[in-house]
């Protein structure tokens, strides 16, 4: 899982609550990404950030929000507006060198009760 | 959006046999990558092949790329129980300056001892 940490590993949320998933990296990477993975599926991009204080929506941004105040940190908030938030959430980072390799954290499994 | 499609969706073989997985994509690319995901974990980068390359090796892994057919294959030779995982291909669109990766749905590989 490289130098990326995600917490918590498991998260339970009641309907109507906002929750924030943490993602921290010590790889000195400029770009960071949040993906959602549903059972048996590939990864879908929620948000990404290529530089501090800037981020863009991915394919499924509705019901989610992010911030990028520090290079090392890219927290994801799952809001009550996200109608089906139960999923596995993966954070990744990428060096802006000459490869497009992404490095992933261990993931957070969010379950809505 | 997902432009990669892996084939087969699932593959079960005996330990020691070779495993071949295929990936097809839709648009022109700069490179194609393969990642492995153990159950409930983050993804790990395996190998990257650039659009001007046709074959690449890394240990027991061999990747081929056919840009005319927009397809790639991943061969794992002499499979081991530890190779049991899901394998994903990811491509970057050649004209996309945002360096997003487009993911397939993955091939679930089971190695029987």
């Amino acid at each position: 899982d490289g130098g990326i940490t995600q917490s918590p590993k498991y998260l339970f949320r009641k309907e109507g609550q906002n929750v924030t998933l943490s993602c921290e990296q010590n790889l000195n990477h400029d770009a960071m990404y949040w993906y959602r993975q549903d059972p048996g599926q590939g990864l879908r991009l929620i948000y990404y950030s290529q530089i501090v204080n800037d981020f863009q929506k991915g394919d499924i941004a509705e019901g989610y929000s992010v911030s990028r105040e520090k290079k090392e940190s890219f927290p994801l908030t799952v809001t009550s507006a996200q109608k089906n938030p139960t999923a596995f959430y993966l954070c990744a980072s990428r060096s802006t060198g000459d490869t497009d390799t992404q490095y992933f954290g261990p993931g957070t499994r969010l379950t809505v009760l | 959006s997902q432009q990669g499609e892996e084939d087969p969706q699932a593959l079960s073989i005996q330990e020691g046999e070779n495993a071949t997985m295929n990936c097809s994509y839709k648009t022109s690319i700069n490179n194609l990558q393969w990642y492995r995901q153990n159950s409930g974990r983050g993804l790990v980068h395996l190998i990257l092949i650039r659009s001007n390359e046709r074959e690449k090796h890394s240990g027991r892994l061999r990747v081929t790329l056919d840009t005319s057919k927009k397809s790639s294959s991943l061969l794992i030779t002499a499979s081991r129980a530890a190779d049991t995982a899901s394998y994903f291909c990811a491509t970057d669109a050649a004209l996309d300056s945002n360096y997003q990766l487009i993911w397939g749905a993955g091939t679930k590989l089971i190695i029987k001892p």
Side-chain angles (χ1 to χ4, degrees):
Chain A
D1 297 328
I4 300 179
T5 58
Q6 290 185 241
S7 62
K9 186 174 178 64
Y10 298 98
L11 184 58
F12 298 90
R13 187 194 94 173
K14 293 182 179 179
E15 286 191 15
Q17 286 182 336
N18 293 354
V19 292
T20 297
L21 283 59
S22 169
C23 177
E24 304 279 333
Q25 55 101 356
N26 62 3
L27 301 170
N28 199 34
H29 287 171
D30 287 308
M32 296 186 75
Y33 305 80
W34 272 107
Y35 293 97
R36 169 179 172 140
Q37 186 179 33
D38 292 286
Q41 302 295 315
L43 278 64
R44 292 187 291 169
L45 183 64
I46 305 173
Y47 269 98
Y48 66 101
S49 168
Q50 296 197 69
I51 197 168
V52 174
N53 292 322
D54 187 49
F55 50 83
Q56 284 81 41
K57 293 181 179 180
D59 298 320
I60 56 166
E62 184 175 353
Y64 300 97
S65 66
V66 294
S67 62
R68 187 84 186 278
E69 297 176 0
K70 298 187 301 182
K71 188 175 186 177
E72 302 80 17
S73 179
F74 191 39
L76 173 74
T77 297
V78 184
T79 74
S80 57
Q82 171 49 239
K83 298 306 178 187
N84 185 23
T86 294
F88 190 51
Y89 291 87
L90 288 160
C91 178
S93 70
R94 179 182 65 83
S95 169
T96 51
D98 63 351
T99 69
D100 298 316
T101 301
Q102 294 188 8
Y103 297 84
F104 284 81
T108 292
R109 187 166 299 281
L110 173 64
T111 302
V112 174
L113 302 173
Chain B
S1 57
Q2 292 185 325
Q3 75 154 333
E5 293 183 4
E6 279 96 342
D7 166 49
Q9 289 186 331
L11 179 62
S12 180
I13 61 173
Q14 292 293 138
E15 192 168 20
E17 295 180 338
N18 295 343
T20 299
M21 289 159 273
N22 303 296
C23 170
S24 60
Y25 57 92
K26 298 175 183 174
T27 64
S28 297
I29 62 173
N30 292 316
N31 60 59
L32 183 145
Q33 304 178 56
W34 286 91
Y35 289 77
R36 184 188 74 224
Q37 183 182 34
N38 289 86
S39 182
R41 306 292 297 273
L43 279 72
V44 175
H45 179 256
L46 294 176
I47 195 165
L48 179 150
I49 186 166
R50 300 199 181 280
S51 59
N52 61 354
E53 298 175 311
R54 291 297 166 257
E55 187 170 311
K56 201 162 183 179
H57 296 254
S58 176
R60 294 185 296 111
L61 305 180
R62 189 190 104 180
V63 171
T64 60
L65 179 64
D66 187 334
T67 54
S68 67
K69 295 181 179 179
K70 291 187 170 60
S71 67
S72 172
S73 66
L74 171 67
L75 168 68
I76 303 174
T77 60
S79 63
R80 305 168 182 170
D83 295 328
T84 294
S86 291
Y87 292 82
F88 294 88
C89 68
T91 56
D92 70 325
L95 299 180
D96 180 7
S97 62
N98 291 321
Y99 301 105
Q100 294 182 46
L101 292 181
I102 310 299
W103 298 85
T107 292
K108 187 171 185 178
L109 175 64
I110 297 172
I111 308 299
K112 296 179 288 186

